[in-house]
Structure formats: C-alpha cells, structure tokens
Amino acid sequence: MTGTLHDDIPILDLQDVGSGDVERETRAAAAIERGLGRYGLVYVKNHGIDPAALDAFYAEFLALTALPEAEKRRWARADLWFQRGYTPPNTEKAVVAGGQPDFKECWFAAPIDVDPVAAELYPEIHPPNVWPEDRPRFRTFYEAIGLALHEAGLALLRACADALALPRETFVDVTRGAPHVTRALKYLPLDAQQCESGVLWGEEHTDFNLLTLLPGGWFLDRDQNRCARPDDRSGLFLRTRGTEGRPGGALVPGTAPPGCIVAQVGQQLEILTGGRLLATPHVITAPKTPGYARTSMAHFVHVHTDTRLFPLPPFQTRETMTAYRPPVLAGTYDIKTLVDIGLAPPEVLSKLGYRHYDRLASVRAGEPR
C-alpha cells in the first residue's frame, strides 16, 4: 500500500460533460477511459456536494451512533434485509471474507423515488425509508447529500456513455426507478489484539451496483473527535486493474484530491460493458493503533430491477458472452448478492422462479376418494 495519491488517476470535471464544447467533452471521455477503464476509479470535481453540509451530516450521524445499542436497534429492520434504517455491527460480510463480518455500523436510506411496481415485486429491495423521528436534521442532510451524489452519478454515467461511443442516456435510462441507496457508515474502534492481528474494518470486495460515489469521510480519535489520518496504511484503498507487470493491480488510497470525490465501477457496469469497465475491488483498513474510528458515506447507483444484466450488444464477443453468462435480471442478481453478504436470509433463494410445485398436491388432495 502507498500513502500518497496516485498521480496517474485522472480528475473528471463534471462541467465538461455535456458542455457542447468538443474539447471539454473529449477531455471528459479520456478521463473516463483512463480512470474507470484502467484504474476502476476516477476523481470527480464540480460534483455539487457542499462540504459544510457533509460535515454537518457526519456530526448528526455520529450523535446517533453514540446512542445506546438497544435504542439504535429500534431502527434495525432485518425484515427489510437491512436495506433501510440501522445496521448493527457484525451483520454484513464481504463475499470473500471467509465469514468475518465487517467492523462497522451503518444506516441506509433512499434519496430517490422508486418504481412503485418494482416495489411491489421486490419489497425488501425497494422499502420505504426508516427515520429517527426526533432527529429532523439527520434526515434533511441525508436526503440532500444523497440526491446531490445521485445527480453527480448520472452526469458521470453520461460521461461513461460518451467515452464508450454509446448514446449518452444509455446507462441513465436503466437507472430510472431503481433501488438507489445512500449509506452512512461508522467503522468501529479496535482493541490492541485486533490491531495486532491485522483485522480489517471492511474486507476487500467489489460493489454489486452500477456506480459508487464516495464523498470522503472523517477519522476519529480515542475520544471520538475528528482527527488526521492516524497512519498512511489506514482508510479506503482501491485495487487498480492488473497489468502485465503487476497482474494483481496496485492498491491506491481512496483519498481524493481537495475538492474532489471518488467514483468507482460496480459489478453491474462491468457486466453491461463486458469488462471494458472493471468493478473496483476496495478494502477499508484499520490503524495499527487501537481506539481510532472512521465515519464515511457512499451512494450506490443501481440499474432498475427489470434490467437484463448481460453485455450490451457493442461489447458482445464470444469471450464476453461466455464470461458473463447466463443473463440474469438485476432484481434476481440483487437478491442473490444480499444473501451472499449476509443481509438477506438464505431461504429467500428458494423463492426465485417457480414456487407453486405444491399446487398439484393441493388439487389432488381435493379429489373425491
């Protein structure tokens, strides 16, 4: 790992996207091609996120996480697969984590209205938001930041389409009414033994959505006050695409340059582009000194649950079709992933597909003897 910014990762100016200026739009497409195509991430400026509002939200969120565990669990909705409200510690795990849950607590909320028909078909993926009734500022800041991140994500998806020579609304069109979600996270303090054993705050994983936007976060000292990064090996690190000289890629810090946020590719975008844009593995490492914590936020842009996940026609080759077969509906893909990471119960997999095998037995039971 390295503790410095990766100088080769480009900065994308969202004001260049759709500007009508050929030079500026070409520059944006080049930033996407190099950033998301080679590294799996890009730094984004002119993104519309108010730093003061983000700081105010983190203060509200940390006040909420400081409440007694029993009180916070009032907002924990296992029946909604923790897709809204509070997620307690030791709940979620990365798919390749070997069963070790992440050391974090979270809050989920959707800043965008969903498709009401999809909400009927996938109620746990499109549930109504859960809010603490006595904390209106928490909700106000949450919704405003989530909406701003979403708008930045849509602009970025238009830049992706431009870079890949697709119609500009290609990716935006499949996001309408989708289960977009904004997540607030607090990574918990570790004790000396955990630090010594190399416990990770969040195991390395790739996101299963279309695009993830990360506005940056805070480190907290032992007294839970905002502080500088404790060491150059702690925080968010992202793994770049492998090269001939470095087949495993390189881990680069997710700390964006001043005034920028980080955007990274999710599995859905990788599938649709046949791997042209590769889902970004990332890991959240803890300081080697016990007692520190971290808070952050992420917005996940999804495709609609009715979207067919398979390489789009321009990216279909024998190799890509074999690599990403069989096609699957995004809603099914979402459910399978939520089971894999421990948020949805395994028995929901039995409800995928035809579920009425007992009907004949019921009919036969009613026959006269």
Side-chain angles (χ1 to χ4, degrees):
M1 292 183 186
T2 175
T4 60
L5 291 173
H6 199 290
D7 294 334
D8 290 337
I9 297 172
I11 296 175
L12 170 67
D13 188 341
L14 286 186
Q15 292 185 352
D16 289 343
V17 181
S19 64
D21 184 308
V22 174
E23 182 178 345
R24 293 173 64 187
E25 291 186 358
T26 300
R27 183 169 62 203
I32 290 292
E33 187 72 32
R34 191 167 88 253
L36 297 186
R38 182 183 303 176
Y39 299 111
L41 68 143
V42 68
Y43 300 135
V44 182
K45 71 177 182 179
N46 288 319
H47 42 69
I49 311 303
D50 179 0
L54 184 63
D55 286 347
F57 170 74
Y58 284 146
E60 292 287 329
F61 177 56
L62 291 173
L64 187 148
T65 61
L67 295 172
E69 187 68 23
E71 186 170 351
K72 289 185 289 187
R73 285 183 179 270
R74 292 187 298 131
W75 302 303
R77 296 292 301 274
D79 60 313
L80 302 180
W81 304 347
F82 300 102
Q83 295 306 289
R84 298 292 185 270
Y86 179 68
T87 308
N90 300 317
T91 301
E92 182 181 346
K93 65 181 186 298
V95 174
V96 295
Q100 171 61 62
D102 289 345
F103 285 82
K104 67 187 179 191
E105 55 185 335
C106 310
W107 193 281
F108 276 92
I112 308 296
D113 290 338
V114 302
D115 177 353
V117 175
E120 291 285 338
L121 297 176
Y122 301 92
E124 295 87 358
I125 297 176
H126 295 275
N129 284 324
V130 174
W131 297 111
E133 305 81 4
D134 58 343
R135 294 174 181 268
R137 282 168 52 87
F138 176 79
R139 176 176 180 174
T140 298
F141 287 129
Y142 207 129
E143 291 180 325
I145 296 168
L147 182 60
L149 287 168
H150 189 72
E151 290 300 320
L154 296 183
L156 191 57
L157 288 172
R158 293 185 175 100
C160 288
D162 288 347
L164 297 171
L166 300 171
R168 179 163 285 168
E169 299 298 306
T170 295
F171 299 120
V172 171
D173 283 344
V174 295
T175 68
R176 303 189 195 284
H180 316 296
V181 66
T182 308
R183 187 180 205 182
L185 310 98
K186 182 182 178 184
Y187 295 96
L188 305 176
L190 302 181
D191 60 31
Q193 182 179 0
Q194 290 170 323
C195 289
E196 195 169 316
S197 63
V199 166
L200 296 170
W201 270 334
E203 291 275 358
E204 189 168 0
H205 65 284
T206 53
D207 293 337
F208 71 95
N209 54 296
L210 190 69
L211 192 69
T212 302
L213 296 104
L214 307 164
W218 296 359
F219 281 98
L220 305 166
D221 62 21
R222 295 176 186 82
D223 297 320
Q224 298 299 284
N225 295 317
R226 187 178 183 179
C227 67
R229 188 183 184 193
D231 57 59
D232 63 4
R233 297 178 63 85
S234 56
L236 173 67
F237 285 83
L238 305 104
R239 186 180 297 277
T240 66
R241 185 189 289 261
T243 62
E244 184 175 343
R246 194 192 289 260
L251 284 173
V252 300
T255 305
C260 294
I261 64 174
V262 174
Q264 63 188 45
V265 178
Q267 294 166 13
Q268 294 173 350
L269 189 54
E270 175 182 331
I271 294 169
L272 293 176
T273 63
R276 180 82 172 267
L277 305 181
L278 204 63
T280 316
H282 50 287
V283 60
I284 301 89
T285 59
K288 293 302 179 184
T289 305
Y292 285 92
R294 184 176 184 266
T295 188
S296 63
M297 198 176 204
H299 179 69
F300 303 97
V301 181
H302 281 260
V303 299
H304 191 283
T305 44
D306 284 348
T307 303
R308 181 176 181 262
L309 289 178
F310 196 62
L312 296 172
F315 309 110
Q316 288 179 5
T317 64
R318 180 180 296 274
E319 182 181 9
T320 61
M321 290 191 291
T322 299
Y324 295 104
R325 66 178 173 88
V328 63
L329 280 184
T332 303
Y333 188 84
D334 293 350
I335 291 171
K336 173 63 166 58
T337 305
L338 292 171
V339 170
D340 289 344
I341 64 177
L343 295 182
E347 57 266 24
V348 303
L349 296 178
S350 67
K351 297 182 179 180
L352 297 177
Y354 191 76
R355 288 181 283 160
H356 300 281
Y357 294 107
D358 58 345
R359 189 169 62 208
L360 178 58
S362 299
V363 170
R364 292 178 63 185
E367 292 177 346
R369 299 295 178 185

